[in-house]
């Protein structure tokens, strides 16, 4: 899946999150790790949906991303939900010095952990559990890409002598659609597949949606490796 945040892809992602309650359920599993943290940096935050769910457990969260539309969405959501402890930072995360209690990296930057670990007490990295962990599996041509998986990250951490724990987690994160045409456009935008390939893929996979205003739902259980890695900061000198 190739992400490019715009009005359409933002709407799809938020609808999937709301339909499945994915980010709230994931945040529930992270609450004890972040609870009481003075400062959290969400690196490569995207729409910041996970940070919005964690905001009540921490002092403040800085959402960092290079996409201005994504960060605009974060600010609008925070204002609408009355979340006052989330700020945004537009720019290259590798030029920041995120001194904090916790660095959160969800499906971003897991191959570059060594840059961020010296700045935090703990780093949470969320990656695919394995190569099959995708809405389309490997059945669509555009879905075949290299991805960081739990076994690769575990080897990386062991070789570096890092102290960590890993939790395998499965949560529903399928995609609702308002119509069959909506489903076809989604797959063509994300996976760059032909109409014929798209038709073949959704045949027998789409089910009746259970929430309005959606007509169809594409089921998907997202399998993740959630890593909690000890950082290099013993006491956070956050400001």
């Amino acid at each position: 899946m190739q992400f490019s945040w715009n009005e359409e892809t933002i709407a799809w992602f938020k609808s999937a999150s709301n339909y499945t309650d994915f980010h709230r359920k994931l945040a529930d599993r992270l609450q004890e790790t972040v609870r009481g943290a003075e400062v959290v940096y969400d690196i490569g935050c995207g729409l910041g949906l996970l940070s919005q769910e964690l905001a009540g457990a921490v002092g403040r969260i800085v959402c960092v991303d290079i996409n201005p539309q994504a960060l605009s969405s974060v600010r609008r959501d925070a204002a609408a939900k009355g979340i006052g402890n989330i700020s945004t930072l537009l720019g290259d995360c590798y030029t920041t010095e995120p001194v904090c209690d916790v660095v959160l990296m969800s499906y971003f930057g897991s191959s570059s952990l060594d840059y961020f670990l010296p700045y935090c007490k703990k780093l949470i990295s969320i990656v695919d559990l394995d190569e099959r962990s995708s809405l389309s599996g490997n059945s669509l041509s555009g879905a075949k890409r290299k991805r960081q998986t739990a076994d690769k990250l575990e080897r990386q951490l062991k070789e570096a002598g890092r102290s960590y724990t890993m939790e395998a987690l499965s949560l529903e994160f399928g995609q609702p659609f308002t119509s069959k045409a909506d489903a076809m456009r989604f797959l063509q935008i994300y996976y760059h597949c032909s109409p014929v390939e798209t038709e073949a893929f959704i045949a027998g996979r789409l089910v009746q949606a259970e929430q309005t205003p959606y007509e169809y739902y594409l089921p998907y259980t997202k399998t993740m490796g959630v890593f909690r890695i000890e950082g290099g900061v013993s006491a956070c000198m956050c400001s």
Side-chain angles (χ1 to χ4, degrees):
M1 181 178 291
Q2 303 298 316
F3 271 113
S4 176
W5 292 122
N6 55 50
E7 184 176 343
E8 191 172 38
T9 55
I10 287 172
W12 277 323
F13 196 80
K14 286 184 176 180
S15 68
S17 179
N18 292 333
Y19 191 98
T20 61
D21 219 9
F22 173 81
H23 289 94
R24 184 193 63 78
K25 293 174 181 177
L26 178 55
D28 285 348
R29 303 300 291 261
L30 301 177
Q31 288 282 345
E32 291 305 311
T33 303
V34 305
R35 190 179 306 281
E38 183 180 343
V39 179
V40 174
Y41 268 75
D42 185 352
I43 304 295
C45 65
L47 304 185
L49 300 182
L50 183 54
S51 280
Q52 293 169 38
E53 297 292 345
L54 293 171
V58 304
R60 64 186 179 94
I61 300 179
V62 182
C63 288
V64 185
D65 206 281
I66 61 170
N67 189 292
Q69 285 186 271
L71 293 184
S72 291
S73 176
V74 174
R75 291 190 293 271
R76 288 194 302 270
D77 284 350
K81 296 174 183 178
I83 301 172
N85 63 336
I86 287 181
S87 61
T88 61
L89 179 61
L90 177 66
D92 183 350
C93 63
Y94 297 105
T95 64
T96 64
E97 296 185 354
V99 178
C100 61
D101 295 290
V102 179
V103 165
L104 173 62
M105 303 178 77
S106 180
Y107 291 91
F108 176 83
S110 55
S111 61
S112 305
L113 299 183
D114 286 346
Y115 177 83
F116 297 99
L117 283 167
Y119 293 107
C120 62
K121 293 180 182 178
K122 192 174 292 290
L123 188 149
I124 300 171
S125 180
I126 304 172
V127 299
D128 287 319
L129 189 64
D130 55 44
E131 293 286 350
R132 298 167 296 175
S133 184
S134 166
L135 184 68
S136 68
N138 286 320
S139 56
L140 290 175
S141 57
K144 295 176 175 65
R145 63 177 179 86
K146 290 184 178 180
R147 65 183 72 198
Q148 178 70 294
T149 56
D151 60 334
K152 295 175 185 175
L153 181 53
E154 196 151 24
R155 285 197 300 270
Q156 175 186 330
L157 294 171
K158 286 180 177 178
E159 288 172 2
R162 298 289 186 185
S163 176
Y164 70 94
T165 62
M166 196 282 282
E167 175 187 10
L169 188 60
S170 298
L171 294 173
E172 183 65 19
F173 194 35
Q175 183 67 49
F177 300 108
T178 55
S179 65
K180 184 179 177 181
D182 186 34
M184 291 190 65
R185 177 161 175 79
F186 171 88
L187 292 167
Q188 289 167 9
I189 290 294
Y190 276 114
Y191 298 105
H192 309 289
C193 47
S194 69
V196 172
E197 188 180 13
T198 304
E199 281 275 12
F201 178 79
I202 65 175
R205 286 185 170 89
L206 288 182
V207 300
Q208 192 71 31
E210 297 179 354
Q211 300 177 26
T212 57
Y214 305 106
E215 185 175 355
Y216 296 105
Y217 179 68
L218 182 60
Y220 167 50
T221 300
K222 193 172 186 66
T223 55
M224 300 159 278
V226 179
F227 288 79
R228 296 165 175 86
I229 309 162
E230 295 301 317
V233 174
S234 58
C236 180
M237 300 176 64
C238 309
S239 59

